[in-house]
Amino acid sequence: MAMPKKGSRLITVDGTAYRWRVSHRPTYSQDNSSSPLRFAVERAEEPGDVLVVSLPCARPDNWDGERTVIVRPVLVSGCVRRAVEQGWNAGRPGSGFPLAVTEDELAAFLGGPPQYLIPFLWGMIPEGGGIRDLPRCTQIWSRDEPST
C-alpha cells in the first residue's frame, strides 16, 4: 500500500524523513461526518508500511458542520512517535498500521487543548465562536448591477 507523492509534505522525526498527507478527496462516509479525519505517513526513502492515523474529529470539508482540526507537523510527529512505540516499523513492508488518536492524546500531541474549527459556508468558525469570527470574503458580483 503506497501513498501518492502528489500533495504530500516532508517531515523529519527523530532523524528519519517521512512523507505525510491528508487525502484530497473524502469518501462518502467521510463527507457526511460518519468517518474520522485521517492522514497517512510513510518513510520518504524506501517506503514500507504506511501509518494510517484516525483523529477524533471530522474532515474540514464535511457536510454536517462537525468540528475539525488542522493537521499540523507537531501532530504528525507526535503520531509517528506513538506509532513507533506501539510497534510500527516504517521500513518493513506491510498492509498499513492503524493508529486511532483519542481526545486526550490529541491534546498531548498538540501541547494543549486542540483549537477545533466548525466548517460554515465559506469559512471556518472557531468552536464556540460566532459569525464575527468568519474571515472576510470577496464579493464576486453584485445583485444591484446587471450581469454581463
Side-chain angles (χ1 to χ4, degrees), residues 20 22 36-39 53-62 65-76 79 101-103 105-107 109-110 112-119 124-127:
W20 66 276
V22 176
L37 173 58
R38 291 187 178 107
F39 65 90
V53 179
S54 298
L55 300 176
C57 53
R59 287 179 55 92
D61 52 4
N62 75 82
E66 295 293 324
R67 69 185 188 172
T68 188
V69 294
I70 297 172
V71 179
R72 294 198 163 112
V74 66
L75 175 58
V76 175
C79 291
V101 175
T102 66
E103 293 275 343
E105 290 172 323
L106 184 59
F109 294 151
L110 295 173
Q115 297 287 323
Y116 287 110
L117 300 170
I118 309 296
M124 294 281 188
I125 299 175
E127 187 176 42

